[in-house]
Amino acid sequence: MIYRILLSLVISLFIIRLLWISRSQGWNFNWWINTIHQEFSQLLKNLILTQHKDQFSRNLRYFFLTVTLFTFILLAITGTLPVIAFNKHITGILLIIHVTAAPVFVVALALTALFWANFKQFDDSDLKLIKKVKNGNKDQRPAYHLQTYWLKILFWMFLAFSIPASLSMIFSMFPYFGTDGQNVMLTIHQYSTLILLIIIFFYTDFKLMVLGKTGK
Amino acid sequence: MIGDVSDGSRTIPIHLIKLIDQDSSVIWQDETPLMPFSTKKTCGACHNYDMISTGWHFNAGDSSVASGRPGQPWIYADPFSATQIPISLRKWPGTYRPDKIGLNTFNFMATFGRHMPGGGIGEKEAYQSVDMYWRWQVSGELEINCLSCHDAERAHDQSLHALQILRENFRWAATASSGFASVQGTAKGLPDTYDIYAGSSPDTPQKIPPQVTYQSERFNNKGEIFFDITRHVPDNRCYFCHSTKTIDPLRQERWEYDEDVHLKAGLKCVDCHRHGLDHKMVRGYEKQSDTLSTNSSQSLTCEGCHLGLKEDDMIPQSGRLGAPEPLHSGIPPIHFEKLSCTTCHSGNWPMDETVSIKTSMAHALGLPKVNKSDQALPHIISPVFAVGSDGKVAPHNLLWPAFWGEISENDVVPLKREVFLPIAQKLIGYIDSLSTGNWPQLEDSNIVQVLDSIKVSGLVSGDPVYISGGQIYALSTDSTLMKKDHEKAKPYIWPIAHDVRPALQSLGVRGCDDCHTTDSNFYFGKVSVKTPLQMVRVEKESMTDYLDQNPIAAWIFSFSFLFRPGLKYIILFSSLLTLAILLLYGFRGLAKIISVVSENGHTQDERR
């Protein structure tokens, strides 16, 4: 019950936030569809047509990230819909989609981690940023740096919480845990994915704020 | 009542009592005519008979009683007219009231009372039709036969009770079964004017009226008899009405079957199926507490004993009667939301195709000269995994209704026996030289012939139809046979809970593959379609039809289990890779922090 309330609350807040940003930026439904379509098409096009090794690697990196996000959205929809709407576990076609998307997500996430970890590691500039913020020192682009810093945090948090989210379900598929253990595993899965959902919402929010300011 | 108030002692009182007849007179051996004893008077002297008669086994005719979860119906079966129709006095969807097929309460009792412990419509005038008044006077009331359940006497013979019912000796049924009396004669052929006190009419000397003889040595010098009465009803008493025989070509010997695992563990049927003085039986399903005045029934379900009830129970409830708490290792919780316990643990293990079964109530098992043929009607099949009235999947028994009816404004009602029996038996009845008890194999033309004859008989107002094998058959305008689906042609199913198999024989014991494969019998087993019509006999239905599952979705889901073992390890590897990256960079970050912390605030000397 608590999980259902929290889940509903998180999703409701996110929808409100999305609507608020869309309204303030003047983004309508068509804009969303076009933007998503363009981004995805461009990504695929770059991936297929790229000749240069470095650029290919860059596109591959973004491809894995996109697949991870896409499958996560799919998992989130199929996983949360029956809980919110009917207070029931997922079954039927939603379960089929969920269990099909899950391995793709986990593999894509591992590859995303592999390709992105080096770019998302904290370095001296982050340390300087913290010092500046701490000392009240204003840089020319502090907000942008701060966002990058936060995105790094979200990235590592996402990786960290994806571990219990996926392992809890994998372990429950082996005959090691009884009914109580299974329920504990399910609870771990539910709450860790809830945190993943919150992380994704923050990530989206940061990205949209950048998009609103820069237009790209 | 003196016998109904417990003083707390757990010993069973000795029942050394005088026999009392229906007129409240004590029965003495030397009196004439010698009367059968009345349980209502004999047992009712110390026990509240009226309250007992409200119990589950006696209250089917009472329309004010909640029908509860659908159970096994009575089945009117006649091979010579290719009929098997579920009937019940309870309001179970899919069953018909006996009067719909022309069975009044007297005929209903005379037909099915063989496997009833009496009471209910057998003794209450309110349920008895006026036109059968004199027959009731001749046969007497069919009182509750307390001995049917509570008699621990080894000589007790419930089949003699059943025999008296078939002979319409209702008044004598309990006495005949008691083990200390014998009953000769039959009320069936006696004229309506027969009087038990006046005896037989000199005009009909060939008719032998029911007569009772008591074993004189059983009476003591006070005219009392010892009844070996027990509160802990022996399983053998329950088995008389609640036995099931599986017809499996691979297992034909009785010793190849085990009984319910609970009985083998030393429990009795009544250890779970309990009741109080009102005899409102705990049927054992999860939501029966909705229809019972006490919540205690909830703890006497599978879940109640093995898992306990709610966590906030004041007293721990699980492990009742020594019930072990199952581990259910590796079984995702969704299974407990969607499936009843019986799905995995009860009934026959699902095979490629459902098997036929015979039950005491449907096939009159346990009676002398009963047809022992495996083909005998009615045809009941099992196990069919279907979504039950509680929304959970459970194993069910299934009966395909087959009967002659009439359709009017798309509503089908069965024809009364007096309408269809003479016509159908004459046209399609066959000589059952092998005594199979099976129905004949029919062609379209046979059905057309019977339907046509019923139509021209003028006995029906609507169009005559025949229902069988899930289809309704009617005459088209050019007198050919047409068939279509109809709600009334759907099979009647009722959930089963026994026999419970041992844990090591439950579904899922070998892993997910017991159910989640593309050819698993749980999802894709074939449900036999039982019908006398030759052309549809080969048809089979899929179990998914009863599971409320899209067969394609079920197949895709099952197919995914082909890759699941491999995917499990891929996911595990991927997760471990992610974890490794996380740890690697985590440690690097930690190293950086240590480096920064150790650089700050340290003098050159300290560094050295």
Side-chain angles (χ1 to χ4, degrees), chain B residues 66-88:
Chain B
S67 298
R69 186 175 78 166
Q72 179 173 192
W74 297 104
I75 303 168
Y76 179 79
D78 174 47
F80 302 105
S81 60
T83 301
Q84 57 174 32
I85 180 169
I87 56 176
S88 178

Side-chain angles (χ1 to χ4, degrees), chain A residues 121-167:
Chain A
Q121 68 174 320
F122 295 99
D123 51 25
D124 291 341
S125 64
D126 297 306
L127 207 60
K128 285 174 189 167
L129 182 73
I130 295 170
K131 282 177 183 172
K132 279 180 185 175
V133 172
K134 194 179 166 188
N135 300 332
N137 225 341
K138 299 273 181 180
D139 190 66
Q140 282 181 337
R141 292 157 60 198
Y144 174 74
H145 277 160
L146 206 57
Q147 275 175 3
T148 313
Y149 173 73
W150 275 109
L151 284 174
K152 283 182 181 176
I153 291 177
L154 291 177
F155 174 82
W156 291 108
M157 276 181 71
F158 193 85
L159 287 190
F161 282 100
S162 73
I163 302 296
S166 55
L167 287 185

Side-chain angles (χ1 to χ4, degrees), chain A:
Chain A
M1 190 64 187
I2 297 169
Y3 171 71
R4 194 183 178 202
I5 292 168
L6 285 174
L7 192 62
S8 307
L9 195 68
V10 167
I11 291 174
S12 305
L13 285 173
F14 182 67
I15 291 170
I16 292 167
R17 174 71 176 153
L18 273 186
L19 290 173
W20 187 75
I21 292 175
S22 298
R23 196 177 169 186
S24 61
Q25 298 290 340
W27 298 337
N28 57 19
F29 183 72
N30 286 337
W31 179 91
W32 279 102
I33 297 293
N34 287 336
T35 308
I36 292 168
H37 180 251
Q38 276 173 17
E39 290 287 324
F40 202 69
S41 304
Q42 191 61 39
L43 185 75
L44 281 177
K45 197 174 159 187
N46 288 344
L47 192 69
I48 296 163
L49 299 176
T50 305
Q51 299 293 323
H52 197 273
K53 192 183 166 187
D54 289 346
Q55 204 176 4
F56 179 76
S57 173
R58 179 185 177 277
N59 288 331
L60 205 59
R61 200 164 63 233
Y62 275 98
F63 175 75
F64 289 135
L65 182 65
T66 310
V67 172
T68 304
L69 291 176
F70 178 74
T71 48
F72 181 79
I73 291 165
L74 209 58
L75 289 169
I77 292 169
T78 53
T80 58
L81 202 63
V83 177
I84 293 173
F86 310 110
N87 197 21
K88 287 192 171 173
H89 292 129
I90 48 172
T91 53
I93 195 76
L94 289 180
L95 181 63
I96 293 172
I97 296 170
H98 197 82
V99 297
T100 308
V104 180
F105 166 75
V106 178
V107 172
L109 180 69
L111 292 170
T112 303
L114 202 64
F115 278 75
W116 280 89
N118 215 31
F119 295 92
K120 294 292 179 184
Q121 68 174 320
F122 295 99
D123 51 25
D124 291 341
S125 64
D126 297 306
L127 207 60
K128 285 174 189 167
L129 182 73
I130 295 170
K131 282 177 183 172
K132 279 180 185 175
V133 172
K134 194 179 166 188
N135 300 332
N137 225 341
K138 299 273 181 180
D139 190 66
Q140 282 181 337
R141 292 157 60 198
Y144 174 74
H145 277 160
L146 206 57
Q147 275 175 3
T148 313
Y149 173 73
W150 275 109
L151 284 174
K152 283 182 181 176
I153 291 177
L154 291 177
F155 174 82
W156 291 108
M157 276 181 71
F158 193 85
L159 287 190
F161 282 100
S162 73
I163 302 296
S166 55
L167 287 185
S168 58
M169 279 298 100
I170 284 301
F171 286 150
S172 69
M173 288 181 194
F174 290 96
Y176 303 135
F177 297 98
T179 309
D180 292 339
Q182 291 279 341
N183 282 322
V184 169
M185 288 292 147
L186 185 64
T187 307
I188 291 171
H189 181 72
Q190 286 178 327
Y191 281 97
S192 50
T193 49
L194 180 65
I195 294 171
L196 291 181
L197 203 61
I198 294 168
I199 292 168
I200 286 292
F201 289 166
F202 274 110
Y203 176 85
T204 313
D205 194 54
F206 278 125
K207 284 288 179 189
L208 288 176
M209 280 198 296
V210 172
L211 193 67
K213 283 175 185 169
T214 62
K216 58 182 183 179

Side-chain angles (χ1 to χ4, degrees), chain B residues 365-579:
Chain B
L365 305 183
L367 263 63
K369 296 180 183 173
V370 68
N371 190 339
K372 294 181 180 176
S373 161
D374 287 344
Q375 284 82 45
L377 284 190
H379 292 308
I380 303 173
I381 57 171
S382 183
V384 176
F385 294 102
V387 178
S389 52
D390 59 352
K392 284 187 173 182
V393 171
H396 288 70
N397 288 341
L398 181 148
L399 176 89
W400 291 101
F403 62 89
W404 304 91
E406 61 177 316
I407 189 166
S408 179
E409 294 177 353
N410 206 35
D411 186 34
V412 176
V413 289
L415 293 179
K416 294 193 186 310
R417 289 191 309 165
E418 54 269 29
V419 175
F420 74 82
L421 274 183
I423 297 170
Q425 286 186 346
K426 186 179 173 186
L427 293 172
I428 61 169
Y430 70 115
I431 297 168
D432 188 6
S433 57
L434 297 173
S435 298
T436 61
N438 199 357
W439 46 26
Q441 293 191 2
L442 301 178
E443 303 287 347
D444 278 10
S445 56
N446 299 122
I447 305 296
V448 170
Q449 211 178 358
V450 177
L451 291 177
D452 204 36
S453 298
I454 293 172
K455 194 174 184 181
V456 297
S457 71
L459 296 169
V460 293
S461 53
D463 292 324
V465 293
Y466 180 60
I467 276 179
S468 183
Q471 301 279 330
I472 184 168
Y473 297 86
L475 292 174
S476 62
T477 47
D478 58 349
S479 286
T480 54
L481 200 62
M482 58 176 186
K483 66 171 184 176
K484 62 177 180 177
D485 293 330
H486 196 280
E487 188 66 26
K488 292 286 175 71
K490 286 185 176 173
Y492 178 79
I493 59 171
W494 65 97
I496 51 171
H498 299 286
D499 291 339
V500 176
R501 303 190 299 270
L504 288 175
Q505 292 176 18
S506 52
L507 273 177
V509 72
R510 295 177 300 193
C512 309
D513 287 356
D514 273 350
C515 296
H516 297 295
T517 55
T518 51
D519 59 350
S520 79
N521 298 326
F522 175 79
Y523 273 114
F524 307 104
K526 297 294 175 199
V527 178
S528 313
V529 178
K530 297 288 184 182
T531 169
L533 279 150
Q534 275 188 306
M535 62 175 185
V536 283
R537 274 191 168 185
V538 289
E539 287 182 11
K540 307 272 189 294
E541 291 199 331
S542 170
M543 208 70 83
T544 49
D545 296 340
Y546 298 87
L547 289 166
D548 277 356
Q549 289 263 335
N550 181 314
I552 298 168
W555 190 90
I556 292 170
F557 187 61
S558 299
F559 185 67
S560 72
F561 279 78
L562 198 62
F563 310 104
R564 190 167 282 205
L567 286 175
K568 275 198 288 196
Y569 290 102
I570 290 172
I571 295 176
L572 192 61
F573 174 76
S574 302
S575 300
L576 292 177
L577 179 65
T578 309
L579 183 64

Side-chain angles (χ1 to χ4, degrees), chain B residues 38-53:
Chain B
S38 157
T39 51
K40 191 174 187 174
K41 304 293 180 183
T42 306
C43 309
C46 298
H47 298 284
N48 190 334
Y49 187 90
D50 288 338
M51 181 175 278
I52 291 167
S53 64

